[in-house]
Amino acid sequence: MNLDQLVATAKAMVAPGKGILAADESTATIRSRFDAIGVESTPDTRRDYRELLFRSEEAMRNHISGVILYDETIRQFARDGTRLVDVIKSHSALAGIKVDLGPREMPFFPGERVTEGLDGLRDRLRDYYVHGARFAKWRAVIDIDARRPSAGSVKANAHALARYAALCQEENIVPIVEPEVLMDLDHDIKRCYEVTEYVLKMTFSALYEMRVQLEGIVLKPNMVIAGRKAKVRSSVEEVAEKTIQCLKNTVPSTVTGIAFLSGGQSDIDATAHLNAMNALHALPWNLTFSFGRALQAAPQTTWAGKDENIPAAQAAFYKRARMNGLASLGQWSPELEA
């Protein structure tokens, strides 16, 4: 392990004014999104869509520090024969890779899941490094309601995240550690805070036990926010305050940076929450974004599978990348959206 290399990569991933594009949708996930815009999901259409994002010069060079790829994408070539990884690198951005195999139901834990993919991971990481990956992502999903999560499911996911992180660092790949407390149901912000705090404490305990170097990771947590079906919505300021309080209580200052997931928030909500955190607080970590839908929804709809729409789709991507880049500096305002 080369710790200096890991730290340099982690710092680049959370560089001021930049964030991470999550373009690692599985084949099944991107098929459902293409279905919504009337586009057949094939290797070529998936390639064409992602290529239009990666060739968005202004967005990529000025506001994107890295791109999380899917296994198919890291091996693909652009229409002109250039490796997609090299297209990303041409903008001084880093290539990353999703390495988990998704969540599976836990035996004896109804309604709870643990992410799989540790078997053979060392060899896969070595292969991905050769293909250009310098960081990786592993997502743990934490289901939340009045009785969930259980201690058993949280510990199982924290342990898997820590083992994954150690394997990544062994291969000089920065691990994105992503314990996501889902926002799908009707829990209030207080319940989200309680669960997020517990999950983060257990995750960092597991990282410590696995001897993971915290300055060589990037944390990708959820924001502390009420569930999508909650009757009472929280203000932007409350989400920012509670998220920062939770992070201060759980995340060691040695962690280089935090790149939030959007978790199904609207484009504007995710940007506003990130901005409020950066505008109101001096923090020991750089706070930025690692968004998928909150960066891609607008360009995907605009593109609709048609080459003639590529310039407009790239403009839509640039706008969202720029808005979130400003939010990572605490310089965004709703007026800029117009």
Side-chain angles (χ1 to χ4, degrees):
M1 181 185 71
N2 184 331
L3 184 57
D4 289 341
Q5 178 183 333
L6 290 170
V7 172
T9 300
K11 287 182 177 179
M13 291 165 65
V14 294
K18 293 186 175 185
I20 299 165
L21 167 62
D24 59 328
E25 302 90 352
S26 68
T27 303
T29 297
I30 202 165
R31 181 184 298 114
S32 68
R33 294 182 185 171
F34 278 15
D35 286 346
I37 59 172
V39 175
E40 183 183 4
S41 179
T42 68
D44 285 347
T45 57
R46 295 192 292 271
R47 186 266 329 269
D48 290 347
Y49 168 64
R50 284 164 170 153
E51 183 179 351
L52 83 82
L53 297 177
F54 305 161
R55 289 198 185 276
S56 300
E57 175 80 25
E58 284 189 285
M60 291 291 298
R61 187 165 296 279
N62 297 321
H63 304 296
I64 301 298
S65 60
V67 182
I68 309 171
L69 302 173
Y70 191 57
D71 180 81
E72 174 187 65
T73 317
I74 202 170
R75 306 175 193 279
Q76 280 184 316
F77 293 82
R79 284 188 182 186
D80 66 2
T82 307
R83 292 194 318 149
L84 289 181
V85 168
D86 290 333
V87 175
I88 293 167
K89 290 167 64 177
S90 72
H91 304 300
S92 300
L94 296 161
I97 183 70
K98 167 189 165 72
V99 297
D100 70 73
L101 300 182
R104 299 291 186 271
E105 292 290 329
M106 288 183 64
F108 312 122
F109 288 79
E112 297 192 275
R113 296 171 286 174
V114 64
T115 300
E116 297 182 349
L118 290 172
D119 290 349
L121 180 56
R122 178 182 276 115
D123 291 337
R124 286 189 283 127
L125 288 168
R126 290 173 178 170
D127 180 57
Y128 288 138
Y129 192 94
V130 170
H131 279 84
R134 293 299 177 265
F135 68 93
K137 188 196 92 166
W138 179 288
R139 174 177 176 251
V141 295
I142 308 298
D143 296 283
I144 173 175
D145 58 21
R147 63 176 185 83
R148 296 177 296 175
S150 65
S153 69
V154 173
K155 289 178 180 178
N157 278 291
H159 178 77
L161 277 167
R163 286 190 58 197
Y164 138 82
L167 286 164
C168 285
Q169 290 191 339
E170 179 186 54
E171 302 303 327
N172 291 314
I173 289 175
V174 170
I176 291 180
V177 176
E178 182 177 355
E180 180 181 0
V181 176
L182 299 177
M183 58 173 289
D184 296 338
L185 301 179
D186 62 354
H187 58 273
D188 60 18
I189 193 170
K190 180 181 178 182
R191 177 64 177 153
C192 183
Y193 184 101
E194 292 170 348
V195 172
T196 302
E197 182 180 52
Y198 175 55
V199 167
L200 288 175
K201 284 181 177 179
M202 295 303 297
T203 298
F204 279 101
S205 176
L207 291 169
Y208 176 78
E209 290 175 354
M210 290 296 136
R211 303 179 181 178
V212 172
Q213 303 299 305
L214 298 184
E215 58 266 54
I217 73 167
V218 170
L219 179 68
K220 183 174 178 177
N222 56 282
M223 299 178 190
V224 176
I225 192 169
R228 193 178 294 111
K229 298 178 182 178
K231 295 179 180 178
V232 178
R233 310 306 306 170
S234 303
S235 67
V236 169
E237 291 73 23
E238 185 180 13
V239 170
E241 291 287 350
K242 287 195 177 298
T243 302
I244 293 300
Q245 182 183 353
C246 186
L247 295 175
K248 285 183 173 180
N249 286 348
T250 56
V251 182
S253 61
T254 47
V255 172
T256 296
I258 296 172
F260 288 100
L261 57 89
S262 55
Q265 299 177 65
S266 72
D267 297 357
I268 305 299
D269 285 350
T271 305
H273 291 143
L274 176 62
N275 182 76
M277 289 183 234
N278 281 300
L280 298 175
H281 299 274
L283 299 166
W285 332 272
N286 285 351
L287 298 187
T288 189
F289 58 92
S290 179
F291 292 165
R293 279 171 289 183
L295 283 173
Q296 293 189 56
Q300 201 169 89
T301 302
T302 303
W303 170 61
K306 299 176 181 177
D307 284 355
E308 60 266 31
N309 293 338
I310 287 176
Q314 290 177 327
F317 176 50
Y318 170 67
K319 178 179 179 179
R320 293 277 25 105
R322 178 172 177 264
M323 293 298 102
N324 286 297
L326 290 170
S328 73
L329 300 171
Q331 298 174 2
W332 173 86
S333 68
E335 291 73 24
L336 291 171
E337 292 289 342

